[in-house]
Amino acid sequence: MTHSANYTQRSRRARGQGPARRAARTLAFVLPVMLVLSGTLAVTRVNWSGSSQDSILTASSQDVSARAKSRAPQDILRDRLLEELQEENPGVALTHLQQEIDRRPSLAKHCMTIAKALGRAAVHAYGPARAQSYARPVCDTSFASGVAGFRG
């Protein structure tokens, strides 16, 4: 019995099932994949257009940036109201938020997040006590929630 058990172990090693052989097989698989990926990345960083611009990406990046400029209406409204909060006061921004929600009901589902963002910005600009004085029942008191939850 001992003889056959030793023979089986030796024959497995001889057939290449040891740890070194497994590591070599893994490396033989992973290395070409890594070389292809790094070569692909290197080729995309070459300026093939011949122009003197220092662009890293290819010409298709112009299309991507054009599409990225179109923003969701709620993001545009939020940014406009945050700017208004800085220029005027949070009360004016909250009034305009309520007017926009009344004018465009499709924005109502975003009202709470916008009001909360206004609350955080008001704390940043005016401090917690003064920001809280502007609180109104717009969007289920989300402005007050943003004021209370600000930790910055």
Side-chain angles (χ1 to χ4, degrees):
M1 285 286 186
T2 311
H3 177 69
S4 65
N6 288 338
Y7 177 74
T8 306
Q9 287 178 353
R10 271 188 263 138
S11 64
R12 282 187 190 150
R13 276 188 238 130
R15 280 186 271 147
Q17 293 182 359
R21 182 72 167 200
R22 273 182 270 149
R25 283 185 182 171
T26 303
L27 187 61
F29 175 73
V30 172
L31 188 61
V33 171
M34 294 302 297
L35 289 173
V36 167
L37 287 176
S38 63
T40 303
L41 293 174
V43 168
T44 60
R45 296 182 71 88
V46 173
N47 184 2
W48 295 101
S49 65
S51 67
S52 62
Q53 293 178 353
D54 292 332
S55 67
I56 292 176
L57 299 176
T58 59
S60 65
S61 67
Q62 294 170 353
D63 300 334
V64 172
S65 63
R67 279 182 268 147
K69 289 181 183 175
S70 63
R71 296 175 51 215
Q74 67 270 12
D75 296 336
I76 295 169
L77 175 62
R78 183 194 63 233
D79 292 348
R80 190 182 78 205
L81 292 173
L82 287 171
E83 186 176 311
E84 200 169 84
L85 182 139
Q86 296 295 323
E87 292 173 1
E88 302 280 333
N89 65 50
V92 173
L94 286 170
T95 300
H96 289 154
L97 173 61
Q98 186 64 54
Q99 290 171 348
E100 279 296 314
I101 297 301
D102 292 341
R103 191 172 70 83
R104 295 171 59 190
S106 63
L107 292 172
K109 62 184 173 187
H110 304 287
C111 184
M112 291 176 60
T113 57
I114 294 171
K116 213 170 200 178
L118 290 172
R120 288 190 297 265
V123 170
H124 186 69
Y126 297 98
R130 188 164 173 216
Q132 189 64 40
S133 70
Y134 290 103
R136 299 198 181 143
V138 177
C139 306
D140 296 328
T141 65
S142 293
F143 177 83
S145 173
V147 169
F150 185 77
R151 304 225 191 283

